[in-house]
Amino acid sequence: MAAQVTLRSGEKVKVNDHVYCSPPWSVRDGTPYSVALRLAWYYRPSDVSDRPVADSRLLLAAIYSEVCDINQLRSKCYVLHRDKITDLAGWKKRPDRFYFNRLFDPYIKKEFEVIQATDVRNLPDHIRQTLISRYEYVVAEKEVVPDLTDALRLCATCGQWCAYPDTVGCDRCKKFFHMGCVQPPLLAKPSRGYGWTCAPCSKRHEEEVDSHEVRHPTPVTKPKSNAPAPRGRGRPRKDRSLAEKEENLDIKYFKMWPFRYFGQYTVAEDTLDPDDLIFPRAATRVGPKSEETPLHDGMVTDIFISDAEERGGDNTAEVLGAVHLLSDEEVEEWKTALTRKPENLYNVDWLTEAIRRFSQAYLMNRGWSTVDMSVPTRIEKWKRGETRYADREWSAEEVAAFEDGIMFHGAELRAVRDEVGTRSMLEVVRFYGHWKNSRLKEENQRIRELRLSHKDEEEGVSISQSITPLSDDEGSTVLEPSKGYNSCGACRTRESETWWRAPKGLTTEVLCDTCGTNWRKYADLSVRPFREDATPNGKKGSEKREGTPLNSPNPKRLRTSIVNGTSPPPNAATALQLRCQVCQKMGPQGRIVKCHKCSLRIHAGTWGVFVDRDTLESYVCAVCKEEKAQEACLNTDCVLCPSRKVSEKWSGHTEFLRAIKATEGQGWVHVLCAVFSPEVSFTDPSRFQVVEGISTIPRQRWIVRCTICGEGRGAVFRCAECDKEYHASCAWNARHRFAFEVQPVRNPRRDTVIVTFKGETGVLTPVILCKEHDVSKHELYDICETDDTGESVMQIYSRAYKQAPVSQAHALLRKAMRLDMVLNSRPEVVYTTELDHRCESCGTRYSPCFYPLAIPRGPEYKRKGGSLIVYLVLVCKRLTFR
């Protein structure tokens, strides 16, 4: 009898049983359970694709296994192939039942069909019997399955079996031939959509065409009838014993796996070899495109390879360790000579390099004193430069940026790498492992101190409750939900014996017992529990059949009406969840829009786009459309910001700066810059287009240097709390705060526009604050905040204060009026002192003539009575011509 393991739930499992597998909540962060076969993984369709799948019991098999902690096994489940299930509807209504009919290969990222080995008939008898005796299933491409399940195909010329890769079939006589047996031999199969006919059929067809005896038969169609479809004898009877037999079916395994690949890249005779690889394969890279071209006779070459440096020999093998050659005394002597730093004894990278260097010293008969571990680099063969055996120390700024990235992005390390900016992906992954272990060490040390501390009985009880795992779900349950979030995030119920932590993206942070169990097992928030056992005895009048929901409402389906084009809300389980790259919050597709080409994901209200449900999957942003249409400027740099080379200094947090809108001059401007510029207006403020009024921005905002990048180009914005001025893009990259504030007005004037947002009434004002300022005294709304109607605060502000007067004048006339206003404005010249004939630039007093020049003076430009104050100075003739 096979060895059995008893899980925490009390169930007993053995080898080849299917189980739920999941790490603790702090590691998996809300993801549902995985289904494993001896820790050979099954995938859910949502794990490998963004396509929503309505069937929560459908899985994808995989020839992929991992070593997993036995404490991660949760409970037992049942997984069968679709063809082995007699009643699929009844199978899915029972709890913990799954099925599969496809396989996903995680290495080549491709799905394959899975069929039973007994269904394969187009094979020689000895190969077919070997395949059936070893494996239960066969994995193949979708286009290969009809050929495998067809009858045995023999070549009409030689009588031998016709393998799929080198076989061609006649479309008229339906016979099969080897590509080398026909005359002339075929070099390749016909292209997809074209057919091939053998020589006798082609000749016969030509004779029929020449004799005009070709008669195409008229297709016979069955006449339509208005009679209803024949009805069956009622609902099929559910056989409980048949379902139990299906659960205990004997599945054949050969070297740990029930299936093998037998597709278009498989040689049938290789199946007889028990050591042949069973994994799916792709096209072989054979030929000059993927292989090195060999040298032929007569070709002149200057390549010389010495025998001593030829790769693949014993002299090029690198010794990584020779500890097994050392005696016990030498090992003890080696340990004392290792290091005086105790932390190095637990560093894997340091120990690996120490073993390597000490082993080389031993093989070369050198003493331990010749080994220098203070050098952090080593020389490797076949590499040009020196290689570090350990990563350089992380600075405090890098650790802070890493922890901020983890807080925003979770375990998405590529986004975290962009936040750090100074480390490679390999260094970030390695540091993540060390950082995670250090956090776990601190937590375990804290728990150990709490256990050892002598406190009263009440505190001891509370501490034990906080550190004792709750059954097999460590950290998955919530003892008492908060007052504001005490309802289920899926079904809205407020009563439950046990509350589970909810995944991200829901309205609340908890799930009831029913929804929590369904999410962890089936990754579906719309499934309701079904009755497992038969109906209770003694209640025949009100008994329910198997498969009926336990607490279902009226069995009649309520009629839903569609009024004014509105549709019912999408299902919480099937709605695709996307993460906004601006606020890093999750939301359903439609509220968060994703560009199909550049993959930019932003809230629709913050982006200013309106997309129909039918075109959500294929939506393309305005910039990507412009690459093909080329109607606006090809340079997509913002006209209010410095050049792109300045912004390229920043790494990460720049996604929102890819959201740009076209201006009236066919240029481009950031949505962020356009909304927060008071002089800019929109012809359509809800969509943030077309941008007008760039020319009305005062000159002093263009010539002041940015306090962040130091550039004097681009329009600057001033902080609401201090005198710092910077570009909007630089402030966004520096993580300054962009928000809106509702300022109450007691006695509003007639021209004051009052706005109501989330219960607050007043004047909506855009605010930019440096990140070091305290924002607790402000009631701020982030740029992605929306009201009950789904309109963002940026759209409300633009619609109220930035609407261009489209009804008063044409766009060209409005542009001319703004230009006329700019040209007619003259600065006020103030004569502070009598002009001295002395050049302001070079200081000379000798020049044929001096020219007056009006320039600003002082640390900042001030206004007096609405006009700009400038100062008049003199410059020499040489400076004027320069």
Side-chain angles (χ1 to χ4, degrees):
M1 184 177 178
Q4 294 184 346
V5 177
T6 303
L7 304 180
R8 292 186 179 181
S9 59
E11 296 177 301
K12 293 184 177 181
V13 295
K14 60 182 184 301
V15 177
N16 297 332
D17 279 346
H18 296 79
V19 294
Y20 293 109
C21 179
S22 178
W25 176 272
S26 58
V27 178
R28 71 177 188 266
D29 195 19
T31 56
Y33 289 165
S34 302
V35 181
L37 167 65
R38 298 174 288 95
L39 303 193
W41 297 106
Y42 284 85
Y43 294 98
R44 302 183 193 273
S46 58
D47 297 338
V48 300
S49 175
D50 292 336
R51 299 190 308 268
V53 178
D55 194 352
S56 60
R57 304 301 182 96
L58 179 62
L59 301 177
L60 294 175
I63 310 181
Y64 174 73
S65 62
E66 279 185 347
V67 178
C68 187
D69 189 359
I70 195 173
N71 293 325
Q72 297 183 9
L73 302 184
R74 301 299 180 179
S75 59
K76 188 176 180 180
C77 60
Y78 300 90
V79 183
L80 276 181
H81 190 268
R82 170 65 184 87
D83 295 341
K84 292 186 176 295
I85 301 175
T86 306
D87 182 15
L88 181 61
W91 176 267
K92 293 193 296 184
K93 288 179 180 179
R94 306 186 67 190
D96 304 326
R97 267 67 174 178
F98 301 88
Y99 73 98
F100 70 96
N101 55 7
R102 296 174 67 84
L103 179 138
F104 175 77
D105 187 85
Y107 298 103
I108 62 178
K109 308 296 183 183
K110 187 177 179 181
E111 294 184 13
F112 299 86
E113 295 292 330
V114 180
I115 59 176
Q116 298 186 76
T118 54
D119 294 339
V120 178
R121 292 186 292 271
N122 185 19
L123 284 177
D125 188 62
H126 65 291
I127 298 179
R128 183 173 182 270
Q129 293 301 327
T130 302
L131 196 66
I132 293 176
S133 62
R134 293 178 181 175
Y135 302 100
E136 190 72 27
Y137 308 109
V138 168
V139 179
E141 293 83 357
K142 185 177 181 179
E143 59 270 15
V144 181
V145 172
D147 298 319
L148 289 177
T149 56
D150 197 3
L152 183 63
R153 298 176 179 178
L154 300 178
C155 179
T157 302
C158 63
Q160 299 296 325
W161 173 64
C162 292
Y164 172 77
D166 55 350
T167 300
V168 64
C170 178
D171 285 346
R172 294 180 64 87
C173 63
K174 305 303 179 183
K175 293 181 180 180
F176 294 91
F177 302 87
H178 290 119
M179 295 172 59
C181 292
V182 298
Q183 295 297 331
L186 295 177
L187 299 180
K189 289 187 175 184
S191 301
R192 179 173 297 180
Y194 292 87
W196 177 85
T197 56
C198 59
C201 293
S202 297
K203 184 177 180 181
R204 190 180 307 112
H205 180 69
E206 292 176 359
E207 293 175 353
E208 292 176 356
V209 173
D210 294 339
S211 61
H212 304 284
E213 295 180 357
V214 180
R215 294 291 186 268
H216 297 285
T218 303
V220 179
T221 58
K222 187 177 180 181
K224 295 184 179 180
S225 174
N226 295 327
R231 298 183 58 185
R233 291 192 174 183
R235 190 174 181 179
R237 180 188 174 191
K238 291 183 173 58
D239 192 352
R240 173 90 43 187
S241 61
L242 179 61
E244 294 177 355
K245 290 179 182 179
E246 292 176 347
E247 295 172 0
N248 300 320
L249 283 177
D250 292 332
I251 306 297
K252 293 187 290 291
Y253 294 87
F254 183 74
K255 292 187 176 181
M256 300 173 54
W257 296 102
F259 26 59
R260 68 151 293 147
Y261 173 72
F262 199 96
Q264 58 181 347
Y265 303 113
T266 302
V267 180
E269 288 74 12
D270 292 345
T271 311
L272 303 175
D273 185 7
D275 296 327
D276 183 47
L277 296 178
I278 64 174
F279 304 99
R281 304 164 193 173
T284 57
R285 297 179 179 178
V286 179
K289 183 178 179 181
S290 304
E291 291 185 322
E292 181 182 1
T293 304
L295 299 177
H296 302 288
D297 296 338
M299 297 181 63
V300 180
T301 177
D302 295 333
I303 300 176
F304 175 76
I305 301 176
S306 62
D307 296 336
E309 291 297 325
E310 183 179 359
R311 302 185 68 171
D314 295 337
N315 56 340
T316 61
E318 185 178 4
V319 178
L320 299 180
V323 183
H324 61 287
L325 301 178
L326 300 177
S327 61
D328 296 340
E329 293 78 7
E330 291 174 330
V331 171
E332 294 298 329
E333 182 182 358
W334 185 14
K335 288 182 178 180
T336 57
L338 274 176
T339 181
R340 296 180 180 179
K341 297 181 179 180
E343 61 271 12
N344 288 340
L345 299 178
Y346 303 97
N347 191 329
V348 177
D349 298 330
W350 190 92
L351 288 175
T352 303
E353 182 64 19
I355 292 174
R356 179 180 174 275
R357 295 188 181 184
F358 275 85
S359 299
Q360 289 180 353
Y362 173 78
L363 295 176
M364 298 175 64
N365 295 324
R366 293 190 284 109
W368 307 132
S369 59
T370 61
V371 179
D372 185 12
M373 291 299 299
S374 61
V375 180
T377 59
R378 65 167 182 262
I379 300 177
E380 294 187 8
K381 273 193 173 183
W382 317 110
K383 291 187 178 181
R384 294 182 178 180
E386 294 183 347
T387 306
R388 295 182 62 94
Y389 68 84
D391 298 336
R392 55 186 174 88
E393 294 292 332
W394 284 57
S395 62
E397 293 79 6
E398 292 175 333
V399 174
F402 174 83
E403 293 179 348
D404 291 342
I406 291 294
M407 182 179 63
F408 278 104
H409 307 287
E412 299 178 3
L413 297 185
R414 292 193 180 275
V416 175
R417 189 270 311 269
D418 295 337
E419 293 285 343
V420 177
T422 57
R423 294 285 180 165
S424 63
M425 191 64 196
L426 297 177
E427 292 177 313
V428 171
V429 172
R430 284 193 291 264
F431 183 76
Y432 177 70
H434 294 303
W435 177 82
K436 197 172 181 180
N437 289 335
S438 63
R439 297 290 295 270
L440 185 61
K441 176 183 177 182
E442 295 175 359
E443 184 179 356
N444 292 336
Q445 185 176 1
R446 180 182 61 83
I447 293 175
R448 195 178 299 110
E449 292 175 356
L450 289 176
R451 284 178 174 174
L452 296 178
S453 60
H454 298 283
K455 295 185 177 181
D456 53 8
E457 185 177 356
E458 295 181 357
E459 292 183 355
V461 171
S462 62
I463 292 173
S464 62
Q465 291 178 354
S466 62
I467 61 179
T468 303
L470 299 169
S471 68
D472 64 335
D473 299 283
E474 301 101 4
S476 298
T477 57
V478 179
L479 297 179
E480 292 184 3
S482 58
K483 295 182 179 180
Y485 300 95
N486 56 351
S487 62
C488 177
C491 65
R492 310 296 186 186
T493 183
R494 295 181 179 272
E495 297 180 358
S496 178
E497 296 181 358
T498 305
W499 293 99
W500 301 87
R501 296 184 185 273
K504 297 179 180 179
L506 297 180
T507 56
T508 62
E509 299 178 354
V510 294
L511 293 174
C512 64
D513 193 10
T514 302
C515 297
T517 304
N518 290 332
W519 170 251
R520 289 180 300 134
K521 289 186 176 182
Y522 312 118
D524 192 356
L525 294 176
S526 61
V527 180
R528 290 296 176 262
F530 293 100
R531 190 175 295 276
E532 168 68 17
D533 301 328
T535 54
N537 298 329
K539 294 184 179 181
K540 296 182 180 181
S542 61
E543 63 183 10
K544 295 182 179 181
R545 293 180 294 182
E546 180 185 0
T548 305
L550 291 178
N551 46 0
S552 63
N554 188 1
K556 292 185 179 180
R557 184 175 181 179
L558 298 178
R559 182 179 180 181
T560 57
S561 60
I562 300 178
V563 182
N564 296 330
T566 60
S567 59
N571 191 356
T574 59
L576 179 62
Q577 297 288 321
L578 298 177
R579 183 187 296 275
C580 176
Q581 294 178 328
V582 178
C583 61
Q584 303 301 326
K585 295 181 180 179
M586 301 290 292
Q589 188 178 21
R591 180 170 295 179
I592 297 179
V593 181
K594 177 181 178 182
C595 177
H596 178 68
K597 191 172 182 180
C598 64
S599 300
L600 181 62
R601 304 184 305 273
I602 302 178
H603 277 89
T606 308
W607 203 350
V609 296
F610 296 89
V611 186
D612 296 334
R613 290 187 178 181
D614 299 335
T615 59
L616 278 176
E617 297 291 340
S618 59
Y619 170 74
V620 179
C621 64
V623 181
C624 296
K625 289 181 180 177
E626 185 61 30
E627 293 180 359
K628 185 176 181 181
Q630 296 185 359
E631 296 178 354
C633 180
L634 298 180
N635 183 12
T636 58
D637 292 347
C638 177
V639 297
L640 297 180
C641 294
S643 62
R644 183 172 296 180
K645 294 182 179 179
V646 178
S647 61
E648 286 177 352
K649 298 186 300 182
W650 303 94
S651 61
H653 196 61
T654 60
E655 291 82 2
F656 190 34
L657 300 182
R658 290 159 54 191
I660 57 180
K661 296 292 184 178
T663 65
E664 58 182 350
Q666 301 302 320
W668 298 96
V669 63
H670 293 137
V671 174
L672 189 69
C673 299
V675 173
F676 280 80
S677 295
E679 298 84 3
V680 173
S681 59
F682 306 101
T683 58
D684 187 356
S686 297
R687 302 178 185 268
F688 306 138
Q689 59 185 14
V690 174
V691 182
E692 297 183 358
I694 299 293
S695 58
T696 60
I697 298 178
R699 181 174 177 270
Q700 63 270 19
R701 286 183 53 191
W702 293 95
I703 58 180
V704 176
R705 289 187 176 273
C706 174
T707 58
I708 298 178
C709 68
E711 293 288 332
R713 294 168 294 177
V716 296
F717 299 80
R718 175 169 292 186
C719 175
E721 293 288 340
C722 63
D723 294 336
K724 291 183 179 180
E725 294 181 327
Y726 30 65
H727 302 120
S729 57
C730 297
W732 179 263
N733 289 327
R735 297 188 179 278
H736 290 348
R737 184 72 181 273
F738 287 78
F740 290 86
E741 183 180 11
V742 179
Q743 297 180 354
V745 180
R746 293 184 179 179
N747 299 317
R749 296 186 301 178
R750 183 175 301 177
D751 57 345
T752 303
V753 180
I754 304 299
V755 174
T756 301
F757 184 75
K758 287 193 172 181
E760 289 193 57
T761 302
V763 178
L764 191 60
T765 307
V767 177
I768 304 178
L769 296 170
C770 300
K771 60 182 179 181
E772 57 267 15
H773 293 320
D774 184 16
V775 298
S776 60
K777 58 183 180 181
H778 297 274
E779 186 70 25
L780 301 179
Y781 297 99
D782 291 333
I783 57 178
C784 288
E785 291 282 345
T786 57
D787 58 3
D788 297 337
T789 62
E791 193 175 17
S792 68
V793 63
M794 293 178 62
Q795 290 176 318
I796 296 176
Y797 170 74
S798 300
R799 182 166 47 80
Y801 304 100
K802 302 179 77 66
Q803 173 67 60
V806 293
S807 60
Q808 300 178 6
H810 190 265
L812 185 59
L813 181 58
R814 295 196 304 271
K815 185 175 181 180
M817 294 171 60
R818 286 192 298 268
L819 183 59
D820 186 51
M821 182 179 61
V822 173
L823 294 178
N824 292 333
S825 62
R826 293 290 185 266
E828 176 187 353
V829 181
V830 179
Y831 297 89
T832 56
T833 59
E834 294 185 359
L835 296 177
D836 188 12
H837 291 278
R838 178 177 178 273
C839 180
E840 181 70 16
S841 177
C842 62
T844 183
R845 295 180 180 273
Y846 304 98
S847 177
C849 58
F850 289 89
Y851 295 91
L853 179 66
I855 63 173
R857 285 281 184 90
E860 55 184 324
Y861 305 105
K862 302 179 181 179
R863 284 188 174 272
K864 179 180 179 182
S867 61
L868 179 65
I869 299 180
V870 296
Y871 299 88
L872 193 65
V873 297
L874 297 179
V875 293
C876 63
K877 185 175 182 179
R878 181 172 59 87
L879 180 65
T880 304
F881 282 104
R882 185 189 306 171

